[in-house]
Amino acid sequence: MSACHKEAVLKFVSLETNVNIAASISNEKLRQMRENRACLLKIISSLRYLSDQGIPIRGQSSDERSNFNNLLNLRSEDSVELQKWLNRDSYKWMSHEIQNEILNMSHSVLRKLVQNVKNTVYFSIIADETSDITTKEQFSFCVRYKNLKV
């Protein structure tokens, strides 16, 4: 069903029920935006997981068998939104170029932070390690810096 047809059906239904069509379309758009944002965050977190674990993102033979696609398919079993996202024909935001851009964004943030610390006179580093309830070691690393303008 095309977007034009959906809008026509909504207008027809609103005439019969006296519902504000602008509010209905706006609510649907907000719902769509929430779903898209949730799916994009799942894609980003999946990429982050694979890169943090040192697991190759792409497969050796085809994209259908890549670690990234397999992880997203596994995660889609628990998420109807992600299932719809993966089954749609366009704008999946899963191409190799998009994967590289997402990974490069995190690297550029880290490089910017390192550059800021290098350019300051005073900075501090706080590192702490403790075990959680499952006796897994958790490490936190905090960098504080202040640019002083004289």
Side-chain angles (χ1 to χ4, degrees):
M1 187 182 305
S2 70
C4 185
H5 186 264
K6 286 180 185 177
E7 185 176 348
V9 169
L10 281 174
K11 285 181 180 179
F12 179 74
V13 170
S14 70
L15 282 174
E16 292 179 344
T17 60
N18 289 331
V19 174
N20 184 349
I21 189 66
S24 297
I25 292 174
S26 179
N27 289 339
E28 176 64 18
K29 189 69 173 170
L30 286 173
R31 185 194 61 75
Q32 240 177 11
M33 287 171 55
R34 279 193 299 272
E35 285 180 6
N36 290 346
R37 185 174 295 121
C39 291
L40 191 56
L41 288 174
K42 286 180 177 151
I43 289 171
I44 292 170
S45 66
S46 296
L47 275 173
R48 188 172 148 223
Y49 172 77
L50 292 172
S51 65
D52 286 349
Q53 296 298 320
I55 300 171
I57 294 168
R58 297 176 187 113
Q60 292 179 355
S61 58
S62 68
D63 278 342
E64 293 83 30
R65 299 187 61 207
S66 71
N67 292 325
F68 179 61
N69 284 343
N70 284 336
L71 179 59
L72 285 175
N73 286 328
L74 178 68
R75 294 184 76 186
S76 72
E77 292 175 5
D78 299 329
S79 171
V80 176
E81 296 89 9
L82 190 57
Q83 281 178 354
K84 287 194 297 190
W85 180 280
L86 295 176
N87 290 331
R88 68 187 196 177
D89 293 330
S90 62
Y91 302 114
K92 292 185 185 181
W93 299 97
M94 293 174 43
S95 70
H96 295 231
E97 293 83 17
I98 297 296
Q99 293 172 11
N100 290 337
E101 283 185 33
I102 290 170
L103 292 171
N104 285 334
M105 278 190 318
S106 62
H107 291 271
S108 67
V109 168
L110 185 59
R111 282 192 291 273
K112 180 72 174 165
L113 177 64
V114 169
Q115 188 63 39
N116 285 346
V117 170
K118 283 183 176 180
N119 292 335
T120 61
V121 178
Y122 302 104
F123 68 92
S124 67
I125 297 175
I126 302 168
D128 188 22
E129 184 177 9
T130 186
S131 58
D132 63 9
I133 196 165
T134 63
T135 67
K136 181 178 178 183
E137 291 293 321
Q138 299 291 318
F139 181 73
S140 63
F141 186 81
C142 178
V143 177
R144 297 179 75 184
Y145 62 93
K146 177 72 175 163
N147 287 332
L148 299 174
K149 295 186 174 139
V150 182

